[in-house]
Amino acid sequence: MTPDKKVKILATLGPAIKGIDDIRQLVEAGVNIFRLNFSHGEHADHALRYQWVREVERQLNYPIGILMDLQGPKLRVGRFAEGKVQLAKGQALRLDLDATPGNAQRVNLPHPEIIEALQPGMNLLLDDGRLRLQVTAKHADAIDTQVIAGGELSDRKGVNVPEAVLQLSPLTAKDRRDLAFGLELGVDWVALSFVQRPEDIIEARELIQGKAFLMAKIEKPSAVQYLEEIAQLCDAIMVARGDLGVEVPAENVPRIQKDIIRTCRQLGRPVVVATQMLESMRFSPAPTRAEVTDVATAVAEGTDAVMLSAETASGDYPLEAVQMMSKIIRQVENGPDYQAQLDVGRPQAEATASDAISCAIRRISSILPVAALVNYSESGASSLRASRERPKATILSLTPSLHTARRLSVAWGIYSVVNERLHQVEEVSSTALEIAQAQGLANKGDTVVITAGVPFGQPGSTNTLRIETLQ
């Protein structure tokens, strides 16, 4: 598994993936980390897919991350007496707490926290933004609205509230059950949906208790507002463009995506760009030109990873979708201006030994023909700081911890080798050169840069840099 790209691929598992052979093909095509979407499927389904990934990891001797994506609270209207209604622009519609089936004049909204948060003049979006209502009056148990954009509304359609922060935990009772199951299973990452504020991250961390790393999904306007605070508290960020594109004007999404990538890079947090990246490949063996450009733009902006959702979970061409995404990534990374673009957005270094060394290896790899940057890392922290610099050479992270290696599977440019004996390594340079050659990253005569902490094995102690030539 010699690395041939720096941007990682996160692929969603679902019924389109039939077994271990399919998983192996996806990994060999470029997948680095898999997503279990707990909005769909039973626990038994996820457990089986988890075991498939772990078996492929064992076969290939290659660390593969697994992320569980929690569903989060789904806000929906109630049911209609006739199953659906037609709403005309300008008409009135009341949403209330009465569970009685609705009609064209009123419908149940079984979420008192929404009624509490809304004020006259605010907007509600229904059915993924296809219908728009504006609040005209607020009551203790209901809100009156005027239809701004009408259409058909049927039972249990979703509700988005872009202009209010709801007093609502992002973790439902279902999420808590799913989280307990996933942590027991051994997932490496937990993606938290419907994040609104920093307190949501604190709540989730208390439940996770360090058993997995936490990725916050940015899909609410309030989360964009609190982006830096949220990113400081979590381990990674996902730009969840599906709901985000409903709750903010579509033309704002590219700018928000760029801002999130820039913020995450400055803070040293991996960032994943997600949703509808190669959507047409659910039913077609080739993507649209616009989709190719979308993936290429995210890569050029410096994202750590790009995600496939239904394309691999339920599409007709999951392998082709991964192969296409890998081709796009390699094409951008091999372009003449890719490294220059990344250097323009280089983040401000902090006054630490780790950042000083990370800045140095980026500069060295731009001056010398460096084949690989080898970093000894117990916790993965120093590898992430090196990744933040976006150096030209691949970062080979040597760690005794499989847990750490799986965590780094989402981070730009890092490829990990796990060996428990690295705890006792005495000759740092010779071991690094030997592993770099074995992994196909360096040949005789190549220059390799090595970073480590002395004394070795103490997390957070990276303070040594060596330049070696493979003899």
Side-chain angles (χ1 to χ4, degrees), residues 153-173:
L153 181 62
S154 56
D155 293 345
R156 304 287 295 156
K157 288 300 182 183
V159 178
N160 291 86
V161 190
E163 298 173 358
V165 176
L166 306 180
Q167 298 303 310
L168 185 71
S169 168
L171 291 156
T172 65

Side-chain angles (χ1 to χ4, degrees), residues 44 109 222 318 341 432:
L109 180 64
S222 57
Q341 284 180 286

Side-chain angles (χ1 to χ4, degrees), residues 8 26 30 42 54 59 72 170 245 251-252 261 280 306 348 401:
K8 305 299 183 62
L26 294 182
E42 303 297 326
R54 291 296 178 240
Q59 291 177 5
E251 65 272 18
N252 290 356
I261 291 173
S280 67
V306 284
Q348 184 70 33
S401 169

Side-chain angles (χ1 to χ4, degrees), residues 231-426:
Q232 288 275 16
L233 291 168
C234 67
D235 300 299
I237 291 287
M238 180 187 293
V239 190
R241 303 180 305 176
D243 278 313
L244 183 63
V246 172
E247 299 224 359
V248 304
E251 65 272 18
N252 290 356
V253 173
R255 176 186 57 78
I256 293 172
Q257 174 177 308
K258 186 184 293 285
D259 290 345
I260 292 173
I261 291 173
R262 183 174 58 250
T263 299
C264 288
R265 187 174 171 196
Q266 177 61 47
L267 295 175
R269 301 293 189 271
V271 58
V272 179
V273 175
T275 318
Q276 297 180 329
M277 301 215 78
L278 297 176
E279 178 74 7
S280 67
M281 290 195 74
R282 292 174 61 192
F283 309 112
S284 168
T288 67
R289 306 304 181 267
E291 289 168 339
V292 172
T293 301
D294 180 37
V295 176
T297 297
V299 173
E301 288 175 346
T303 190
D304 288 81
V306 284
M307 190 176 98
L308 294 166
S309 300
E311 300 96 327
T312 52
S314 57
D316 295 335
Y317 301 96
L319 179 59
E320 289 83 353
V322 173
Q323 291 170 334
M324 175 56 64
M325 189 163 266
S326 292
K327 289 177 185 177
I328 298 167
I329 292 169
R330 289 195 296 268
Q331 186 69 23
V332 175
E333 291 180 350
N334 292 330
D337 58 347
Y338 176 64
Q339 193 64 44
Q341 284 180 286
L342 294 180
D343 288 346
V344 167
R346 188 166 60 87
Q348 184 70 33
E350 296 180 5
T352 64
S354 179
D355 269 17
I357 288 176
S358 295
C359 289
I361 62 174
R362 180 196 64 82
R363 185 70 177 136
I364 290 168
S365 69
S366 69
I367 296 172
L368 298 177
V370 176
L373 304 170
V374 183
N375 178 48
Y376 286 86
S377 184
E378 183 92 14
S379 66
S382 58
S383 293
L384 286 173
R385 297 310 284 184
S387 169
R388 173 179 178 265
E389 292 291 325
R390 302 295 193 258
K392 287 182 68 174
T394 296
I395 303 163
L396 178 59
S397 182
L398 305 184
T399 178
S401 169
L402 181 56
H403 183 60
T404 293
R406 290 168 174 169
R407 173 193 184 183
L408 298 175
S409 62
V410 76
W412 185 97
I414 301 176
Y415 286 82
S416 298
V417 169
V418 181
N419 190 323
E420 293 182 1
R421 289 180 298 174
L422 291 172
H423 273 304
Q424 290 83 38
V425 168
E426 293 181 1

Side-chain angles (χ1 to χ4, degrees), residues 180-242:
F181 172 78
L183 293 176
E184 183 178 352
L185 201 59
V187 298
D188 310 296
W189 285 90
V190 175
L192 185 64
S193 300
F194 202 71
V195 173
Q196 297 186 95
R197 54 201 170 180
E199 291 82 356
D200 296 338
I201 304 300
I202 295 170
E203 179 184 356
R205 280 214 179 278
E206 289 174 351
L207 291 173
I208 295 172
Q209 296 182 340
K211 297 175 182 176
F213 301 101
L214 180 60
M215 183 180 294
K217 295 169 66 177
I218 305 299
E219 51 195 336
K220 296 285 293 179
S222 57
V224 175
Q225 179 184 348
Y226 293 112
L227 173 62
E228 187 158 343
E229 295 94 325
I230 289 170
Q232 288 275 16
L233 291 168
C234 67
D235 300 299
I237 291 287
M238 180 187 293
V239 190
R241 303 180 305 176

